[in-house]
Every structure is written in C-alpha cells, then in structure tokens.
Coordinates of all heavy atoms in Angstrom, one line a residue:
M8 N 0.8 -1.2 0.0 CA 0.0 0.0 0.0 C 0.9 1.2 0.0 O 1.9 1.3 0.7 CB -0.9 0.0 1.2 CG -1.9 1.0 1.2 SD -3.4 0.4 2.2 CE -4.6 1.0 1.1
K9 N 0.5 2.2 -0.8 CA 1.3 3.5 -0.9 C 1.0 4.4 0.2 O -0.2 4.5 0.7 CB 1.0 4.2 -2.2 CG 1.5 3.4 -3.4 CD 1.2 4.2 -4.7 CE 1.7 3.4 -5.9 NZ 1.5 4.1 -7.1
P10 N 2.0 5.2 0.7 CA 1.7 6.2 1.7 C 0.7 7.2 1.1 O 0.6 7.5 -0.1 CB 3.0 6.8 2.0 CG 4.0 5.9 1.5 CD 3.4 5.1 0.4
A11 N 0.0 7.9 2.0 CA -1.1 8.9 1.6 C -0.5 10.1 0.9 O -1.1 10.6 0.0 CB -1.8 9.3 2.9
M12 N 0.7 10.5 1.2 CA 1.3 11.7 0.6 C 1.7 11.4 -0.9 O 1.4 12.2 -1.7 CB 2.6 12.1 1.4 CG 2.3 12.7 2.7 SD 3.7 13.3 3.5 CE 3.9 14.8 2.7
E13 N 2.2 10.2 -1.1 CA 2.5 9.8 -2.5 C 1.2 9.7 -3.4 O 1.2 10.2 -4.5 CB 3.3 8.5 -2.6 CG 4.7 8.6 -2.2 CD 5.5 7.3 -2.3 OE1 5.0 6.5 -3.1 OE2 6.5 7.1 -1.7
T14 N 0.2 9.2 -2.8 CA -1.1 9.0 -3.5 C -1.7 10.4 -3.8 O -2.1 10.7 -5.0 CB -2.1 8.2 -2.7 OG1 -1.5 7.0 -2.4 CG2 -3.3 7.9 -3.5
A15 N -1.6 11.3 -2.9 CA -2.1 12.6 -3.1 C -1.3 13.4 -4.1 O -1.8 14.1 -5.0 CB -2.1 13.4 -1.8
A16 N 0.0 13.2 -4.1 CA 0.9 13.8 -5.1 C 0.6 13.3 -6.5 O 0.6 14.1 -7.5 CB 2.4 13.6 -4.7
E17 N 0.4 12.0 -6.6 CA 0.0 11.4 -7.9 C -1.3 12.0 -8.5 O -1.4 12.3 -9.6 CB 0.0 9.9 -7.9 CG 1.4 9.3 -7.7 CD 1.3 7.8 -7.6 OE1 0.2 7.2 -7.7 OE2 2.4 7.2 -7.3
E18 N -2.3 12.1 -7.6 CA -3.6 12.6 -8.0 C -3.5 14.1 -8.4 O -4.1 14.5 -9.4 CB -4.6 12.5 -6.8 CG -5.0 11.0 -6.6 CD -5.9 10.9 -5.4 OE1 -6.4 11.9 -4.8 OE2 -6.3 9.8 -5.0
N19 N -2.6 14.8 -7.7 CA -2.5 16.3 -8.1 C -1.8 16.4 -9.4 O -2.1 17.2 -10.2 CB -1.6 17.0 -7.0 CG -2.4 17.2 -5.7 OD1 -3.6 17.2 -5.8 ND2 -1.7 17.5 -4.6
T20 N -0.8 15.5 -9.7 CA -0.1 15.5 -11.0 C -1.1 15.1 -12.1 O -1.1 15.8 -13.2 CB 1.0 14.5 -11.0 OG1 1.9 14.8 -9.9 CG2 1.8 14.5 -12.3
E21 N -1.9 14.1 -11.9 CA -2.9 13.7 -12.9 C -3.9 14.8 -13.1 O -4.3 15.1 -14.3 CB -3.6 12.4 -12.5 CG -2.8 11.2 -12.5 CD -3.5 10.0 -12.0 OE1 -4.7 10.0 -11.8 OE2 -2.8 9.0 -11.8
Q22 N -4.3 15.5 -12.1 CA -5.3 16.6 -12.2 C -4.7 17.8 -13.0 O -5.3 18.4 -13.8 CB -5.8 17.0 -10.9 CG -6.8 16.0 -10.2 CD -7.2 16.5 -8.8 OE1 -6.7 17.5 -8.3 NE2 -8.0 15.7 -8.2
S23 N -3.4 18.0 -12.7 CA -2.8 19.2 -13.4 C -2.6 18.8 -14.9 O -2.7 19.7 -15.7 CB -1.4 19.5 -12.7 OG -0.5 18.5 -12.9
Q24 N -2.3 17.6 -15.2 CA -2.2 17.1 -16.6 C -3.5 17.3 -17.3 O -3.5 17.7 -18.5 CB -1.7 15.7 -16.7 CG -0.2 15.5 -16.3 CD 0.7 16.1 -17.3 OE1 0.4 16.3 -18.4 NE2 1.9 16.4 -16.8
E25 N -4.6 17.0 -16.6 CA -5.9 17.1 -17.3 C -6.3 18.6 -17.5 O -6.9 18.9 -18.5 CB -7.0 16.4 -16.4 CG -6.9 14.9 -16.4 CD -7.9 14.3 -15.4 OE1 -8.7 15.0 -14.9 OE2 -7.8 13.0 -15.2
R26 N -5.9 19.4 -16.6 CA -6.2 20.9 -16.7 C -5.3 21.5 -17.8 O -5.7 22.5 -18.4 CB -5.9 21.6 -15.4 CG -7.1 21.5 -14.4 CD -6.9 22.3 -13.2 NE -6.5 21.5 -12.1 CZ -5.5 21.7 -11.3 NH1 -4.8 22.8 -11.4 NH2 -5.2 20.8 -10.4
K27 N -4.1 21.0 -18.0 CA -3.2 21.6 -19.0 C -3.8 21.5 -20.4 O -3.7 22.4 -21.2 CB -1.8 21.0 -19.0 CG -1.0 21.4 -17.9 CD 0.4 20.8 -18.0 CE 1.3 21.2 -16.9 NZ 2.6 20.5 -17.0
G28 N -4.4 20.4 -20.7 CA -5.0 20.2 -22.1 C -3.9 19.8 -23.1 O -2.7 19.5 -22.8
C29 N -4.4 19.6 -24.3 CA -3.6 19.1 -25.4 C -2.5 20.1 -25.8 O -1.4 19.7 -26.1 CB -4.4 18.7 -26.5 SG -3.6 18.0 -27.9
F30 N -2.8 21.4 -25.8 CA -1.9 22.4 -26.3 C -0.6 22.4 -25.5 O 0.5 22.3 -26.1 CB -2.5 23.8 -26.3 CG -1.6 24.8 -26.7 CD1 -1.3 25.0 -28.1 CD2 -1.0 25.7 -25.8 CE1 -0.5 26.0 -28.5 CE2 -0.2 26.7 -26.2 CZ 0.1 26.9 -27.6
E31 N -0.7 22.4 -24.2 CA 0.6 22.5 -23.4 C 1.4 21.2 -23.5 O 2.6 21.2 -23.4 CB 0.2 22.8 -22.0 CG -0.3 24.3 -21.9 CD -0.5 24.7 -20.4 OE1 0.0 24.0 -19.5 OE2 -1.2 25.7 -20.2
C32 N 0.7 20.0 -23.6 CA 1.4 18.8 -23.7 C 2.1 18.7 -25.1 O 3.3 18.3 -25.2 CB 0.4 17.6 -23.6 SG -0.2 17.3 -22.0
C33 N 1.5 19.2 -26.1 CA 2.1 19.3 -27.4 C 3.3 20.2 -27.4 O 4.4 19.9 -28.0 CB 1.1 19.7 -28.5 SG -0.1 18.5 -28.9
I34 N 3.2 21.4 -26.8 CA 4.3 22.3 -26.7 C 5.5 21.7 -25.9 O 6.6 21.8 -26.3 CB 3.9 23.6 -26.0 CG1 2.8 24.3 -26.8 CG2 5.0 24.5 -25.7 CD1 3.4 24.8 -28.2
K35 N 5.1 20.9 -24.9 CA 6.2 20.2 -24.1 C 6.9 19.2 -25.0 O 8.2 19.1 -24.9 CB 5.6 19.5 -22.9 CG 6.6 18.9 -22.0 CD 5.9 18.2 -20.8 CE 6.9 17.5 -20.0 NZ 6.3 16.8 -18.9
C36 N 6.2 18.5 -25.8 CA 6.8 17.5 -26.6 C 7.6 18.1 -27.8 O 8.7 17.7 -28.1 CB 5.8 16.6 -27.3 SG 5.0 15.4 -26.1
L37 N 7.1 19.2 -28.3 CA 7.8 19.9 -29.4 C 9.1 20.6 -28.9 O 9.9 20.9 -29.7 CB 6.9 20.9 -30.1 CG 5.8 20.3 -30.9 CD1 4.8 21.4 -31.4 CD2 6.3 19.5 -32.1
G38 N 9.2 20.8 -27.6 CA 10.4 21.4 -27.1 C 11.6 20.5 -27.2 O 12.7 21.0 -27.2
G39 N 11.4 19.2 -27.3 CA 12.5 18.3 -27.4 C 12.9 17.9 -28.8 O 13.8 17.1 -29.0
V40 N 12.3 18.5 -29.8 CA 12.6 18.1 -31.2 C 13.9 18.8 -31.6 O 14.1 20.0 -31.4 CB 11.4 18.6 -32.1 CG1 11.8 18.4 -33.6 CG2 10.1 17.9 -31.8
P41 N 14.8 18.1 -32.2 CA 16.1 18.7 -32.7 C 15.9 19.4 -34.0 O 16.0 18.9 -35.1 CB 17.0 17.5 -32.9 CG 16.0 16.4 -33.2 CD 14.8 16.7 -32.4
Y42 N 15.5 20.7 -33.9 CA 15.1 21.5 -35.1 C 16.3 21.7 -36.0 O 16.2 21.6 -37.3 CB 14.5 22.8 -34.7 CG 13.1 22.7 -34.1 CD1 12.9 22.9 -32.8 CD2 12.1 22.3 -34.9 CE1 11.7 22.7 -32.2 CE2 10.8 22.2 -34.3 CZ 10.6 22.4 -33.0 OH 9.4 22.2 -32.4
A43 N 17.5 21.8 -35.5 CA 18.7 22.0 -36.3 C 18.9 20.8 -37.2 O 19.3 20.9 -38.4 CB 19.9 22.4 -35.5
S44 N 18.8 19.6 -36.6 CA 19.0 18.4 -37.4 C 17.9 18.2 -38.4 O 18.2 17.8 -39.5 CB 18.9 17.2 -36.4 OG 20.0 17.2 -35.5
L45 N 16.7 18.6 -38.1 CA 15.6 18.5 -39.1 C 15.9 19.5 -40.3 O 15.7 19.1 -41.4 CB 14.2 18.8 -38.5 CG 13.7 17.7 -37.6 CD1 12.4 18.2 -37.0 CD2 13.4 16.5 -38.4
V46 N 16.3 20.7 -40.0 CA 16.6 21.6 -41.1 C 17.8 21.2 -41.9 O 17.7 21.2 -43.1 CB 16.9 23.0 -40.5 CG1 17.4 24.0 -41.5 CG2 15.6 23.6 -39.8
A47 N 18.8 20.6 -41.3 CA 19.9 20.1 -42.0 C 19.5 18.9 -42.9 O 20.0 18.8 -44.0 CB 21.0 19.7 -41.0
T48 N 18.7 18.1 -42.4 CA 18.2 16.9 -43.2 C 17.4 17.4 -44.4 O 17.6 16.9 -45.5 CB 17.3 16.0 -42.3 OG1 18.1 15.5 -41.2 CG2 16.9 14.8 -43.1
I49 N 16.5 18.4 -44.2 CA 15.7 18.9 -45.3 C 16.6 19.6 -46.3 O 16.4 19.4 -47.5 CB 14.7 19.9 -44.8 CG1 13.6 19.1 -44.0 CG2 14.0 20.7 -45.9 CD1 12.6 20.0 -43.2
L50 N 17.6 20.3 -45.9 CA 18.6 20.9 -46.8 C 19.4 19.9 -47.6 O 19.6 20.0 -48.8 CB 19.5 21.8 -46.1 CG 18.9 23.2 -45.6 CD1 19.9 23.9 -44.7 CD2 18.5 24.0 -46.8
C51 N 19.8 18.8 -46.9 CA 20.5 17.7 -47.5 C 19.6 17.1 -48.6 O 20.1 16.8 -49.8 CB 20.9 16.6 -46.5 SG 21.7 15.2 -47.2
F52 N 18.3 16.8 -48.3 CA 17.4 16.2 -49.3 C 17.2 17.1 -50.4 O 17.1 16.7 -51.6 CB 16.1 15.7 -48.6 CG 16.3 14.6 -47.7 CD1 15.3 14.3 -46.7 CD2 17.3 13.7 -47.8 CE1 15.4 13.2 -45.9 CE2 17.5 12.6 -47.0 CZ 16.5 12.4 -46.0
S53 N 17.0 18.4 -50.1 CA 16.8 19.4 -51.2 C 18.0 19.5 -52.1 O 17.8 19.6 -53.4 CB 16.5 20.8 -50.6 OG 15.4 20.7 -49.8
G54 N 19.2 19.4 -51.6 CA 20.4 19.5 -52.4 C 20.5 18.3 -53.3 O 20.9 18.4 -54.4
V55 N 20.2 17.1 -52.7 CA 20.3 15.9 -53.5 C 19.3 15.9 -54.6 O 19.6 15.6 -55.8 CB 20.1 14.6 -52.6 CG1 19.9 13.4 -53.4 CG2 21.3 14.5 -51.7
A56 N 18.1 16.4 -54.3 CA 17.0 16.5 -55.4 C 17.4 17.4 -56.5 O 17.2 17.2 -57.7 CB 15.7 16.9 -54.7
L57 N 18.0 18.6 -56.1 CA 18.4 19.6 -57.0 C 19.6 19.0 -57.9 O 19.6 19.2 -59.1 CB 18.9 20.8 -56.3 CG 19.2 22.0 -57.2 CD1 17.9 22.5 -57.9 CD2 19.8 23.1 -56.3
F58 N 20.5 18.3 -57.3 CA 21.6 17.7 -58.0 C 21.1 16.7 -59.0 O 21.5 16.7 -60.2 CB 22.6 17.1 -57.1 CG 23.6 16.2 -57.7 CD1 24.7 16.7 -58.4 CD2 23.5 14.8 -57.6 CE1 25.6 15.9 -59.0 CE2 24.4 14.0 -58.2 CZ 25.4 14.5 -58.9
C59 N 20.2 15.8 -58.6 CA 19.7 14.8 -59.5 C 18.9 15.4 -60.6 O 19.0 15.0 -61.8 CB 18.8 13.8 -58.7 SG 19.8 12.8 -57.6
G60 N 18.0 16.3 -60.3 CA 17.2 17.0 -61.3 C 18.0 17.7 -62.4 O 17.8 17.5 -63.6
C61 N 18.9 18.5 -61.9 CA 19.7 19.3 -62.8 C 20.6 18.4 -63.6 O 20.8 18.6 -64.8 CB 20.6 20.3 -62.0 SG 19.6 21.6 -61.3
G62 N 21.2 17.4 -63.0 CA 22.1 16.5 -63.8 C 21.3 15.7 -64.8 O 21.8 15.5 -66.0
H63 N 20.1 15.3 -64.5 CA 19.3 14.5 -65.4 C 18.9 15.4 -66.6 O 19.0 15.0 -67.8 CB 18.1 14.0 -64.8 CG 17.2 13.1 -65.7 ND1 17.6 11.8 -66.0 CD2 16.0 13.4 -66.3 CE1 16.6 11.3 -66.8 NE2 15.7 12.3 -67.0
V64 N 18.5 16.6 -66.3 CA 18.1 17.5 -67.4 C 19.3 17.9 -68.3 O 19.2 18.0 -69.5 CB 17.4 18.8 -66.8 CG1 17.2 19.9 -67.9 CG2 16.1 18.4 -66.2
A65 N 20.4 18.1 -67.6 CA 21.6 18.5 -68.4 C 22.1 17.4 -69.3 O 22.4 17.6 -70.5 CB 22.8 18.9 -67.5
L66 N 22.0 16.2 -68.8 CA 22.4 15.0 -69.7 C 21.4 14.8 -70.8 O 21.8 14.4 -71.9 CB 22.6 13.8 -68.8 CG 23.8 13.8 -67.9 CD1 23.8 12.6 -66.9 CD2 25.1 13.8 -68.7
A67 N 20.2 14.9 -70.5 CA 19.1 14.8 -71.6 C 19.3 15.9 -72.6 O 19.2 15.6 -73.8 CB 17.7 14.8 -71.0
G68 N 19.6 17.1 -72.2 CA 19.9 18.2 -73.1 C 21.1 17.9 -74.0 O 21.1 18.3 -75.1
T69 N 22.1 17.3 -73.4 CA 23.3 17.0 -74.1 C 23.0 16.0 -75.3 O 23.5 16.2 -76.4 CB 24.4 16.4 -73.2 OG1 24.7 17.3 -72.2 CG2 25.6 16.0 -73.9
V70 N 22.2 15.0 -75.0 CA 21.8 14.1 -76.0 C 21.0 14.8 -77.1 O 21.2 14.5 -78.3 CB 21.0 12.9 -75.4 CG1 20.3 12.0 -76.5 CG2 21.8 12.1 -74.5
A71 N 20.1 15.7 -76.7 CA 19.3 16.4 -77.7 C 20.2 17.3 -78.6 O 20.1 17.3 -79.8 CB 18.3 17.3 -77.0
I72 N 21.2 18.0 -78.0 CA 22.1 18.8 -78.8 C 23.0 17.9 -79.7 O 23.2 18.3 -80.9 CB 23.0 19.6 -77.8 CG1 22.2 20.7 -77.2 CG2 24.2 20.3 -78.6 CD1 22.9 21.5 -76.1
L73 N 23.4 16.8 -79.3 CA 24.2 15.9 -80.1 C 23.4 15.4 -81.3 O 23.9 15.4 -82.4 CB 24.7 14.7 -79.3 CG 25.9 14.9 -78.4 CD1 26.1 13.6 -77.6 CD2 27.1 15.2 -79.2
E74 N 22.1 15.1 -81.1 CA 21.3 14.6 -82.1 C 21.0 15.7 -83.1 O 20.9 15.5 -84.3 CB 20.0 14.0 -81.6 CG 20.2 12.7 -80.9 CD 18.9 12.2 -80.2 OE1 17.9 13.0 -80.2 OE2 18.9 11.1 -79.7
Q75 N 20.8 16.9 -82.7 CA 20.4 18.0 -83.5 C 21.5 18.6 -84.3 O 21.4 18.9 -85.5 CB 19.7 19.1 -82.7 CG 18.4 18.8 -82.2 CD 17.8 19.9 -81.3 OE1 18.4 20.9 -81.1 NE2 16.6 19.6 -80.8
H76 N 22.7 18.8 -83.7 CA 23.7 19.6 -84.3 C 25.0 18.8 -84.8 O 25.7 19.2 -85.7 CB 24.2 20.7 -83.4 CG 23.1 21.6 -83.0 ND1 22.5 22.5 -83.9 CD2 22.4 21.8 -81.8 CE1 21.6 23.2 -83.3 NE2 21.5 22.8 -82.0
F77 N 25.2 17.7 -84.2 CA 26.5 17.0 -84.4 C 26.4 15.6 -85.1 O 27.5 15.1 -85.4 CB 27.3 16.9 -83.1 CG 27.7 18.2 -82.6 CD1 27.1 18.7 -81.4 CD2 28.7 19.0 -83.1 CE1 27.4 19.9 -80.9 CE2 29.0 20.2 -82.6 CZ 28.3 20.7 -81.5
S78 N 25.3 15.1 -85.3 CA 25.2 13.8 -85.9 C 24.4 13.8 -87.2 O 23.4 14.4 -87.3 CB 24.7 12.8 -84.9 OG 23.3 12.8 -84.9
T79 N 24.9 13.0 -88.1 CA 24.2 12.8 -89.4 C 23.4 11.6 -89.3 O 22.4 11.5 -90.0 CB 25.2 12.8 -90.5 OG1 26.2 11.8 -90.3 CG2 25.9 14.1 -90.7
N80 N 23.8 10.6 -88.6 CA 23.0 9.3 -88.5 C 23.1 8.9 -87.0 O 24.0 9.3 -86.3 CB 23.5 8.2 -89.5 CG 24.9 7.9 -89.3 OD1 25.6 8.3 -88.4 ND2 25.4 7.2 -90.4
A81 N 22.2 8.0 -86.6 CA 22.1 7.5 -85.2 C 23.3 6.7 -84.8 O 23.6 6.7 -83.6 CB 20.9 6.7 -85.0
S82 N 24.0 6.1 -85.6 CA 25.1 5.2 -85.2 C 26.4 6.1 -84.8 O 27.2 5.6 -84.1 CB 25.5 4.3 -86.3 OG 26.0 5.0 -87.5
D83 N 26.4 7.3 -85.2 CA 27.5 8.2 -84.9 C 27.6 8.5 -83.3 O 28.6 8.5 -82.8 CB 27.4 9.6 -85.6 CG 27.7 9.5 -87.0 OD1 28.2 8.4 -87.5 OD2 27.4 10.5 -87.8
H84 N 26.5 8.6 -82.7 CA 26.5 8.9 -81.3 C 25.8 7.8 -80.4 O 25.4 8.1 -79.3 CB 25.8 10.3 -81.0 CG 24.3 10.3 -81.4 ND1 23.3 9.8 -80.6 CD2 23.7 10.7 -82.6 CE1 22.2 9.9 -81.2 NE2 22.4 10.4 -82.4
A85 N 25.8 6.6 -80.9 CA 25.1 5.5 -80.2 C 25.9 5.2 -78.9 O 25.3 5.1 -77.8 CB 25.0 4.3 -81.0
L86 N 27.2 5.1 -79.0 CA 28.0 4.8 -77.8 C 28.0 6.0 -76.8 O 27.8 5.7 -75.6 CB 29.5 4.6 -78.2 CG 30.4 4.3 -77.0 CD1 30.0 3.0 -76.3 CD2 31.9 4.2 -77.5
L87 N 28.0 7.2 -77.3 CA 28.0 8.4 -76.4 C 26.6 8.4 -75.7 O 26.5 8.8 -74.5 CB 28.2 9.6 -77.2 CG 28.4 10.9 -76.3 CD1 29.5 10.7 -75.3 CD2 28.7 12.1 -77.2
S88 N 25.5 8.1 -76.4 CA 24.2 8.1 -75.8 C 24.1 7.0 -74.7 O 23.5 7.3 -73.6 CB 23.1 7.8 -76.9 OG 23.1 8.8 -77.8
E89 N 24.7 5.9 -74.9 CA 24.7 4.8 -73.9 C 25.5 5.3 -72.7 O 25.1 5.0 -71.5 CB 25.3 3.5 -74.4 CG 24.4 2.9 -75.4 CD 25.0 1.6 -76.0 OE1 26.0 1.1 -75.4 OE2 24.5 1.1 -77.0
V90 N 26.6 6.0 -72.9 CA 27.5 6.5 -71.8 C 26.7 7.5 -71.0 O 26.7 7.5 -69.8 CB 28.8 7.0 -72.3 CG1 29.5 7.8 -71.2 CG2 29.7 5.9 -72.8
I91 N 26.0 8.4 -71.7 CA 25.2 9.4 -71.0 C 24.1 8.8 -70.2 O 23.8 9.2 -69.1 CB 24.7 10.4 -72.0 CG1 25.8 11.3 -72.5 CG2 23.6 11.3 -71.4 CD1 25.5 12.2 -73.6
Q92 N 23.4 7.8 -70.8 CA 22.4 7.1 -70.0 C 22.9 6.4 -68.8 O 22.3 6.4 -67.7 CB 21.7 6.0 -70.9 CG 20.4 5.5 -70.3 CD 19.7 4.5 -71.3 OE1 20.3 4.1 -72.3 NE2 18.4 4.3 -71.0
L93 N 24.1 5.8 -68.9 CA 24.8 5.2 -67.8 C 25.1 6.2 -66.7 O 24.9 6.0 -65.5 CB 26.1 4.5 -68.2 CG 26.9 3.8 -67.1 CD1 26.1 2.6 -66.6 CD2 28.2 3.4 -67.7
M94 N 25.5 7.4 -67.1 CA 25.7 8.5 -66.1 C 24.5 8.9 -65.4 O 24.5 9.3 -64.2 CB 26.4 9.7 -66.9 CG 27.8 9.4 -67.3 SD 28.5 10.8 -68.3 CE 28.6 12.1 -67.1
Q95 N 23.3 8.9 -66.1 CA 22.1 9.2 -65.5 C 21.7 8.1 -64.4 O 21.3 8.5 -63.3 CB 20.9 9.2 -66.5 CG 21.0 10.5 -67.4 CD 19.9 10.5 -68.4 OE1 19.4 9.4 -68.9 NE2 19.5 11.7 -68.9
Y96 N 22.0 6.9 -64.7 CA 21.8 5.8 -63.7 C 22.8 6.0 -62.5 O 22.4 5.7 -61.3 CB 22.0 4.4 -64.3 CG 20.8 4.1 -65.2 CD1 21.1 3.6 -66.5 CD2 19.5 4.2 -64.8 CE1 20.0 3.2 -67.3 CE2 18.5 3.9 -65.6 CZ 18.7 3.4 -66.9 OH 17.7 3.1 -67.7
V97 N 24.0 6.5 -62.7 CA 24.9 6.8 -61.7 C 24.4 7.9 -60.8 O 24.5 7.8 -59.5 CB 26.3 7.1 -62.2 CG1 27.2 7.7 -61.1 CG2 26.9 5.9 -62.8
I98 N 23.8 8.9 -61.4 CA 23.1 10.0 -60.6 C 22.0 9.4 -59.7 O 21.9 9.8 -58.5 CB 22.6 11.1 -61.5 CG1 23.8 11.8 -62.1 CG2 21.7 12.0 -60.8 CD1 23.4 12.9 -63.2
Y99 N 21.2 8.5 -60.2 CA 20.2 7.9 -59.4 C 20.8 7.1 -58.2 O 20.2 7.1 -57.1 CB 19.3 6.9 -60.2 CG 18.6 7.6 -61.4 CD1 18.3 6.9 -62.5 CD2 18.2 8.9 -61.3 CE1 17.7 7.5 -63.6 CE2 17.6 9.5 -62.4 CZ 17.3 8.8 -63.5 OH 16.7 9.4 -64.6
G100 N 21.9 6.4 -58.5 CA 22.5 5.7 -57.4 C 23.1 6.6 -56.3 O 23.0 6.3 -55.1
I101 N 23.7 7.7 -56.8 CA 24.2 8.7 -55.8 C 23.1 9.3 -55.0 O 23.2 9.5 -53.8 CB 25.0 9.8 -56.5 CG1 26.3 9.2 -57.1 CG2 25.3 11.0 -55.6 CD1 27.0 10.2 -58.0
A102 N 21.9 9.5 -55.6 CA 20.8 10.1 -54.9 C 20.3 9.1 -53.8 O 20.0 9.5 -52.7 CB 19.7 10.4 -55.9
S103 N 20.2 7.8 -54.2 CA 19.7 6.9 -53.2 C 20.7 6.7 -52.0 O 20.3 6.6 -50.9 CB 19.4 5.5 -53.8 OG 20.6 5.0 -54.4
F104 N 22.0 6.8 -52.3 CA 23.0 6.7 -51.3 C 22.9 7.9 -50.3 O 22.9 7.8 -49.1 CB 24.4 6.7 -51.9 CG 25.5 6.9 -50.8 CD1 25.8 5.8 -50.0 CD2 26.1 8.1 -50.7 CE1 26.8 6.0 -49.0 CE2 27.1 8.2 -49.8 CZ 27.4 7.2 -48.9
F105 N 22.7 9.1 -50.9 CA 22.6 10.3 -50.0 C 21.3 10.4 -49.3 O 21.2 10.9 -48.2 CB 22.9 11.6 -50.8 CG 24.3 11.9 -50.9 CD1 25.0 11.7 -52.1 CD2 25.1 12.4 -49.9 CE1 26.4 12.0 -52.2 CE2 26.4 12.6 -49.9 CZ 27.1 12.4 -51.1
F106 N 20.3 9.8 -49.8 CA 19.0 9.7 -49.1 C 19.1 8.9 -47.9 O 18.8 9.3 -46.8 CB 17.9 9.2 -50.0 CG 16.6 9.0 -49.4 CD1 15.8 10.1 -49.1 CD2 16.1 7.8 -49.0 CE1 14.6 10.0 -48.5 CE2 14.9 7.6 -48.4 CZ 14.1 8.7 -48.1
L107 N 19.7 7.7 -48.0 CA 20.0 6.8 -46.9 C 20.9 7.5 -45.9 O 20.8 7.4 -44.7 CB 20.5 5.5 -47.3 CG 19.5 4.6 -48.1 CD1 20.2 3.4 -48.6 CD2 18.3 4.3 -47.2
Y108 N 22.0 8.1 -46.4 CA 23.0 8.8 -45.5 C 22.3 9.9 -44.7 O 22.6 10.1 -43.5 CB 24.1 9.3 -46.4 CG 25.2 9.9 -45.7 CD1 26.0 9.1 -44.8 CD2 25.6 11.3 -45.8 CE1 27.1 9.6 -44.1 CE2 26.6 11.8 -45.1 CZ 27.4 11.0 -44.3 OH 28.4 11.5 -43.6
G109 N 21.4 10.6 -45.3 CA 20.7 11.7 -44.6 C 19.8 11.1 -43.5 O 19.7 11.7 -42.4
I110 N 19.2 10.0 -43.7 CA 18.4 9.4 -42.7 C 19.2 8.9 -41.6 O 18.9 9.0 -40.4 CB 17.5 8.2 -43.3 CG1 16.4 8.8 -44.2 CG2 16.9 7.4 -42.2 CD1 15.7 7.8 -45.0
I111 N 20.4 8.3 -41.9 CA 21.3 7.8 -40.9 C 21.8 9.0 -40.0 O 21.9 8.9 -38.8 CB 22.5 7.0 -41.5 CG1 22.0 5.7 -42.1 CG2 23.6 6.8 -40.5 CD1 23.0 5.0 -42.9
L112 N 22.1 10.1 -40.7 CA 22.6 11.3 -39.9 C 21.5 11.8 -39.0 O 21.8 12.3 -37.9 CB 23.1 12.4 -40.9 CG 24.4 12.1 -41.6 CD1 24.7 13.3 -42.5 CD2 25.5 12.0 -40.6
L113 N 20.3 11.8 -39.5 CA 19.2 12.3 -38.6 C 19.0 11.4 -37.4 O 18.7 11.9 -36.3 CB 17.9 12.4 -39.5 CG 16.7 12.9 -38.7 CD1 16.9 14.3 -38.2 CD2 15.4 12.8 -39.6
A114 N 19.2 10.1 -37.6 CA 18.9 9.2 -36.5 C 20.1 9.3 -35.5 O 19.9 9.2 -34.3 CB 18.9 7.7 -37.0

C-alpha cells in the first residue's frame, strides 16, 4: 500500500495534466525536437534532389544537342548516348545513397 502523501501527489499530478490540455502537452513534446537536425536533413534532401534533377536535365539536353547539331546518323552517337544514359543511372545511385545517408545522420 502506498503512503497517503505519494497518492495525493500522484492525484495532483494527474489533475494538473488534465487541466493543461492538449496544447501544453504538445508544446512540451515539441520542445524536445532537434530542429537544427531537421533543417539540416531537409537541406540535404533538397540538395540531392536539385543535383539529380539538374544532372538529369543537363544530360538529356546533351543528347538532344548531339542529335540536332553534331550527328548525321544515329550510329554516330550511339556509344555516347549509352554512356550518357549510364551517367544518369549513376546519378540515381548517388541520390539513393545520399537519401539513406541523410536518414542515418538524422537518426
């Protein structure tokens, strides 16, 4: 059996929690969030997305420029097109690596 003082203190704590309401409990929980880490993670993901998007568009534009201005037939730039496509896949691999790396750093 618990002493009367401990029981009264527990009841007072429970009553004060009920009086605080949801807002104050949420504020208390949000006080422990590592905002700097969240901002850094968001910036990391944004940078990776920007890198992948810009790299993909630049490589696709390179293929278009090659086809329009420098080749007379498709076999002239076939190998270069394959290399450019391979570079696009490398960009996707780098993106997935940095996505996982960002999650690890956040954890």
Side-chain angles (χ1 to χ4, degrees):
M8 191 151 221
K9 292 183 179 180
M12 292 185 77
E13 284 183 22
T14 307
E17 287 176 6
E18 288 177 6
N19 288 339
T20 305
E21 288 176 10
Q22 289 174 356
S23 66
Q24 289 291 335
E25 289 176 9
R26 276 187 261 135
K27 283 183 181 180
C29 183
F30 178 74
E31 291 185 17
C32 288
C33 289
I34 294 298
K35 183 180 177 184
C36 288
L37 289 175
V40 174
Y42 291 107
S44 295
L45 287 177
V46 169
T48 302
I49 290 169
L50 287 174
C51 178
F52 289 160
S53 300
V55 170
L57 187 65
F58 167 75
C59 292
C61 292
H63 183 76
V64 169
L66 290 171
T69 302
V70 171
I72 289 172
L73 284 172
E74 290 174 353
Q75 290 175 359
H76 300 291
F77 296 107
S78 81
T79 55
N80 56 16
S82 64
D83 288 346
H84 62 83
L86 179 63
L87 189 57
S88 294
E89 290 178 14
V90 169
I91 289 174
Q92 190 175 18
L93 180 67
M94 290 173 66
Q95 286 176 333
Y96 289 130
V97 167
I98 287 175
Y99 300 148
I101 290 171
S103 61
F104 170 75
F105 274 106
F106 178 74
L107 292 174
Y108 187 64
I110 291 173
I111 290 169
L112 285 178
L113 181 63

